[in-house]
Amino acid sequence: MKSKKKSGKQDPTWDHCTRVKDDNRMHLRSNYCGKDYWGGVIRMKNHLAETHNNVGACSQVFEDVMNMFLQLLSGKKQDNIIDVDCFEEKNIKGKSKGGTMDAYVTKGRAKQQSLNQMMKQREPVIRDICRVIYGHALAFNLVKSSLFKKMLKSVGEYGVGLKPPSYHEVRVSFLKKEVDNVNASLEVYRKEWKKTGCTIMSDGWTDGKSHSLTNFLVNSPSGTVFSKSIDTSDVIKNSMKLFEMLDDIVNEIGEENVVQVVTDSASAYVGASRLLEEKRTKLFWSPCAAHCLT
């Protein structure tokens, strides 16, 4: 009779092996290579996962099955709790009977070795990831990014043999796809702009190289979205140039959608905004409240 865990859920290992003899040693046979093993389900899991941990690797197991058992083993709690499924089984009458104390000690050591081995296998992988971060001066908080975690999850689910993206794929193919994806996600906001109108907001700042940069954002009841960032170092004090820049932004969003434009209250922006109001008579300019506080 097949053994079940305390939770009552069927162990997936039983779908990939056959119980040859119903005794305390749990004699199991792999459904792939046909080899027999004694000692419990954990040994069969390691056999199918090809961990070489206290058991030979299965030479004929399918790759997706191997990856599944690797994940099952790595997902177990890394402590010294003995898996009941390895040592406790049901007899024909349904009564529980355990193995000898030697069996508990032996299996416990085997499992602990498996956890240690998995930690050793993880170390070079983490080292390679860290080297990429160090070698390209990436921010350490990258590892907290949901995109970073999703990337690692996708790589892990793909399994062995993933070919990295080519230079062309990163620079052209997938960049275009991502731009299309972002534009598609903005459609919800664009529809809202047509219904309720929107506000164009500019936010100027200076980077570490003393370049004046201006971010343009669009606000509506649906939320605020980033439009673009422009290096305004050469035009920051020129009202006419700033007017032309603001006018282009209004064109991109659509004059019929823009209710107002918000900038700081610097003299160049004040002059540019007056020119904009003269040309675009249906919108008005407002100074940023943060720059009006004294």
Side-chain angles (χ1 to χ4, degrees):
M1 183 175 180
K2 294 180 180 179
S3 173
K4 294 184 179 181
K5 292 187 176 182
K6 286 185 176 181
S7 63
K9 294 182 179 179
Q10 181 71 40
D11 191 307
T13 311
W14 294 111
D15 295 329
H16 304 274
C17 68
T18 303
R19 187 161 186 170
V20 179
K21 188 177 180 180
D22 195 8
D23 59 21
N24 287 345
R25 297 187 64 195
M26 200 175 289
H27 182 181
L28 304 178
R29 177 173 296 157
S30 169
N31 290 347
Y32 300 96
C33 65
K35 291 184 178 180
D36 293 357
Y37 291 96
W38 288 261
V41 176
I42 286 294
R43 289 198 73 199
M44 182 56 66
K45 286 179 179 177
N46 279 281
H47 168 67
L48 296 173
E50 298 186 2
T51 63
H52 299 279
N53 180 51
N54 201 32
V55 67
C58 183
S59 59
Q60 299 182 34
V61 66
F62 299 136
E63 185 174 347
D64 58 336
V65 176
M66 179 193 71
N67 290 330
M68 180 189 74
F69 279 103
L70 280 173
Q71 291 180 7
L72 285 174
L73 289 170
S74 62
K76 284 184 173 293
K77 293 181 179 179
Q78 297 188 8
D79 53 28
N80 293 326
I81 298 176
I82 306 300
D83 192 337
V84 176
D85 196 32
C86 297
F87 319 110
E88 188 176 47
E89 53 186 285
K90 303 289 183 178
N91 60 17
I92 297 176
K93 295 181 180 180
K95 295 181 179 180
S96 174
K97 60 179 182 179
T100 64
M101 183 59 69
D102 291 340
Y104 279 87
V105 174
T106 303
K107 302 302 185 300
R109 289 176 180 172
K111 181 173 182 179
Q112 187 62 38
Q113 290 172 358
S114 176
L115 295 175
N116 291 337
Q117 184 180 27
M118 283 188 288
M119 291 300 294
K120 290 180 180 179
Q121 291 172 345
R122 177 180 180 272
E123 185 174 335
V125 177
I126 300 302
R127 182 174 61 244
D128 287 342
I129 294 173
C130 289
R131 281 176 175 172
V132 172
I133 295 174
Y134 306 150
H136 293 275
L138 302 177
F140 293 156
N141 59 9
L142 171 67
V143 299
K144 298 180 180 180
S145 167
S146 59
L147 292 175
F148 180 79
K149 294 175 182 178
K150 185 177 181 181
M151 175 194 69
L152 292 183
K153 181 180 179 182
S154 296
V155 172
E157 290 177 348
Y158 184 93
V160 179
L162 174 64
K163 183 180 179 181
S166 66
Y167 179 81
H168 179 78
E169 286 177 321
V170 173
R171 185 174 181 270
V172 180
S173 305
F174 282 84
L175 178 59
K176 183 179 183 302
K177 291 179 181 179
E178 194 61 26
V179 170
D180 293 341
N181 182 54
V182 172
N183 286 330
S185 67
L186 290 177
E187 280 304 313
V188 175
Y189 298 95
R190 293 192 179 103
K191 291 179 180 179
E192 184 73 23
W193 299 344
K194 293 180 180 179
K195 291 181 180 179
T196 64
C198 63
T199 297
I200 296 176
M201 303 183 297
S202 68
D203 177 34
W205 60 289
T206 304
D207 67 7
K209 296 182 179 180
S210 299
H211 293 157
S212 294
L213 305 173
T214 302
N215 296 330
F216 289 94
L217 305 98
V218 185
N219 177 265
S220 70
S222 294
T224 303
V225 296
F226 174 82
S227 176
K228 63 168 56 178
S229 183
I230 300 176
D231 186 342
T232 53
S233 301
D234 297 331
V235 302
I236 194 65
K237 296 182 179 181
N238 188 317
S239 294
M240 182 56 67
K241 293 292 185 181
L242 289 176
F243 157 69
E244 293 173 355
M245 180 181 67
L246 292 172
D247 192 53
D248 288 341
I249 298 293
V250 172
N251 269 331
E252 291 179 13
I253 304 302
E255 181 181 4
E256 68 280 5
N257 300 326
V258 180
V259 175
Q260 68 173 340
V261 175
V262 177
T263 70
D264 65 36
S265 55
S267 58
Y269 269 111
V270 173
S273 300
R274 287 174 179 170
L275 292 172
L276 185 65
E277 285 181 314
E278 290 177 5
K279 180 179 179 180
R280 312 280 187 177
T281 57
K282 293 184 179 180
L283 60 79
F284 60 93
W285 168 77
S286 297
C288 176
H291 292 87
C292 295
L293 298 176
T294 58

